[in-house]
Amino acid sequence: MSRNLLQMTSKIFDEFAAQVSDEHKEYIASVNRHISISEENRKECCGLLKDAIIVGRRHKYLPTVVFIKYKEVFYVGIDTRYAEKFETFGYILEENLAICIGCQILSIAEKYYQLKVESKELIDCCLGLQSEEGKKEVVFSEDDILDLVYGLSIFKILNNELGIDMDSLDDVLRVSVLLLVANNEKKSNVYKETMEKLLSMICVRKICGNILDFLIIKDNRIKFLSLYQCIEFLFVPNRASEFVEKYNMNISDALRLHINEAMRRDERVNALAILKFAGTPLIHRMHILLFDESGGDKELEHINNWIYDKRCSIAHFRYGQQKNEETSVNEDILEMMIELLVEIFSNINQNMKDICSGLIKLDESTLA
């Protein structure tokens, strides 16, 4: 991949123009625009713009996160409003200003940013400006451009505490959702600590979309379904892992077999197989919460039946197949479900973790 600053400039101003509301578009000046990088930063900054590889995703609910590779060095760009939270995971800010400027300009050009100004201010400060008399273009400094967006704090990846895969869009989402949780002041510390523990594991990469749904959806019933889907996701990896042990198969072959062929267990049996990864103390606490009494050696079965029946009640009610089922779910149950997921994903075997983290890849079929 090879770019230059002129290409970046054109993409940036085109992107800004696309964000202007219809009522202000007539004020966009027809003029050449240029970004001038300060001399001491220009060479290295332009080198990064030319050769760096960037991975990111844009989501209206999430802070901006990008992964950038340049000269075999990995960087993570974090929406500056969330940077302090990212530091708590052991990451250190990059001090090279040229690298920081380059990463931010590249992110804007690739549409990984959030504007912090309204449409009219974008016109007044940037797109509506005419060139001075005798000049053919309007020149902006890097600060002029970066002041229009929520900036990125750039971290060089040395000790990679979160096990971030710099090529993984799934990990962009995982880090974004983790920061959203860590920055949420409305949730209890116990809730946040449990969710952070879950999102800190690389083996949850493939379920982060479900976790995001849990966070942004307001209906507790649908929140419950999104957490159940994290359990459901493990059905195929678990069956594949069982075949590896039973038939001495390669894990990729076993996984392909269970993706492409119908599974020979009903869903309740599959769910029970996954709940077995949870520890007995948590299962006991959950049984007390749900049934207000001990269940002896039947606690795991009781909980599995309750979870699966609740899943069915909500799903059937949601799609109008049933009207009178009890579908309410309280906050205590949701918090316990998150604890359950932490234990399950902590205790699944390595083959399952490799599948869930995206380390095992198939040629034709994936779990994405």
Side-chain angles (χ1 to χ4, degrees):
M1 182 179 293
S2 181
R3 322 171 189 86
N4 60 50
L5 184 56
L6 288 178
Q7 290 174 322
M8 297 290 98
T9 298
S10 177
K11 292 179 70 174
I12 286 170
F13 290 118
D14 286 347
E15 176 61 20
F16 283 170
Q19 302 305 312
V20 174
S21 63
D22 289 341
E23 62 181 311
H24 297 139
K25 286 190 184 294
E26 63 181 292
Y27 301 109
I28 298 176
S30 179
V31 64
N32 292 326
R33 299 180 182 88
H34 180 61
I35 300 174
S36 178
I37 308 297
S38 54
E39 186 175 349
E40 63 269 26
N41 296 318
R42 186 178 303 139
K43 182 177 180 180
E44 187 157 24
C45 182
C46 289
L48 184 145
L49 293 177
K50 177 184 176 184
D51 296 325
I53 298 170
I54 184 169
V55 175
R57 61 199 312 162
R58 192 171 179 176
H59 197 293
K60 65 179 180 179
Y61 293 110
L62 294 175
T64 301
V65 173
V66 295
F67 300 160
I68 294 174
K69 180 180 180 181
Y70 175 59
K71 291 183 176 179
E72 303 304 318
V73 180
F74 295 111
Y75 302 93
V76 174
I78 301 292
D79 184 320
T80 298
R81 295 169 293 176
Y82 297 79
E84 186 175 345
K85 300 296 182 182
F86 193 66
E87 285 186 272
T88 64
F89 295 103
Y91 294 93
I92 307 298
L93 283 165
E94 170 60 43
E95 296 181 354
N96 186 325
L97 187 57
I99 295 294
C100 294
I101 293 170
C103 287
Q104 293 187 83
I105 290 177
L106 179 57
S107 298
I108 299 171
E110 297 298 326
K111 303 182 181 182
Y112 306 131
Y113 73 97
Q114 292 184 31
L115 278 175
K116 68 178 180 182
V117 298
E118 299 295 331
S119 175
K120 185 177 183 304
E121 190 174 350
L122 195 56
I123 293 292
D124 292 342
C125 298
C126 180
L127 297 178
L129 299 182
Q130 296 280 1
S131 58
E132 297 178 9
E133 187 175 350
K135 295 185 178 180
K136 296 182 179 180
E137 59 186 15
V138 180
V139 178
F140 297 90
S141 71
E142 65 267 20
D143 289 338
D144 293 330
I145 301 303
L146 298 180
D147 284 346
L148 299 173
V149 302
Y150 288 107
L152 295 182
S153 295
I154 309 302
F155 295 82
K156 181 187 290 186
I157 301 303
L158 298 173
N159 298 318
N160 194 356
E161 298 294 335
L162 294 174
I164 295 172
D165 179 352
M166 302 302 296
D167 299 315
S168 172
L169 272 175
D170 292 323
D171 254 1
V172 174
L173 182 60
R174 180 170 69 102
V175 174
S176 300
V177 176
L178 178 57
L179 292 175
L180 185 68
V181 170
N183 208 47
N184 190 333
E185 302 300 334
K186 296 180 181 180
K187 295 295 184 182
S188 69
N189 286 335
V190 173
Y191 166 92
K192 289 173 64 173
E193 288 174 5
T194 307
M195 186 62 83
E196 286 181 22
K197 187 181 297 184
L198 181 66
L199 288 163
S200 294
M201 295 188 284
I202 65 172
C203 61
V204 302
R205 285 175 182 153
K206 294 294 184 180
I207 63 165
C208 285
N210 301 110
I211 298 173
L212 177 59
D213 288 342
F214 170 82
L215 293 172
I216 64 179
I217 291 172
K218 295 182 179 180
D219 188 328
N220 277 3
R221 296 169 299 181
I222 310 305
K223 283 179 176 286
F224 179 88
L225 286 185
S226 69
L227 295 181
Y228 178 80
Q229 286 169 346
C230 296
I231 294 173
E232 189 177 50
F233 181 86
L234 290 170
F235 292 174
V236 171
N238 185 51
R239 288 290 282 154
S241 181
E242 289 179 348
F243 265 51
V244 168
E245 295 181 10
K246 188 174 182 179
Y247 300 109
N248 195 28
M249 292 181 68
N250 175 280
I251 183 60
S252 295
D253 293 337
L255 180 58
R256 185 180 290 106
L257 174 66
H258 286 90
I259 288 175
N260 293 335
E261 295 186 10
M263 294 171 61
R264 296 180 180 178
R265 289 181 180 176
D266 66 34
E267 190 164 346
R268 195 184 298 268
V269 173
N270 280 313
L272 181 62
I274 301 306
L275 291 186
K276 288 180 180 178
F277 288 105
T280 301
L282 177 59
I283 293 297
H284 180 68
R285 283 198 295 118
M286 197 165 186
H287 197 279
I288 297 297
L289 173 67
L290 295 177
F291 303 106
D292 200 30
E293 62 181 1
S294 175
D297 58 1
K298 295 290 187 179
E299 287 186 341
L300 184 64
E301 183 179 343
H302 292 167
I303 290 172
N304 180 62
N305 288 336
W306 186 93
I307 289 174
Y308 183 69
D309 290 343
K310 179 65 71 174
R311 172 260 180 210
C312 291
S313 295
I314 295 171
H316 294 164
F317 179 82
R318 183 184 186 188
Y319 294 109
Q321 296 170 355
Q322 292 178 209
K323 299 296 183 183
N324 300 316
E325 291 288 345
E326 174 55 53
T327 59
S328 63
V329 178
N330 63 40
E331 291 288 338
D332 289 341
I333 290 173
L334 293 178
E335 289 192 18
M336 191 71 76
M337 285 288 288
I338 297 169
E339 286 191 59
L340 188 65
L341 289 178
V342 170
E343 287 220 359
I344 289 171
F345 277 86
S346 295
N347 293 327
I348 57 177
N349 64 42
Q350 194 59 49
N351 278 330
M352 294 177 68
K353 288 181 178 180
D354 288 346
I355 294 169
C356 295
S357 62
L359 296 179
I360 294 177
K361 304 180 187 300
L362 302 179
D363 294 334
E364 299 177 357
S365 302
T366 71
L367 290 176

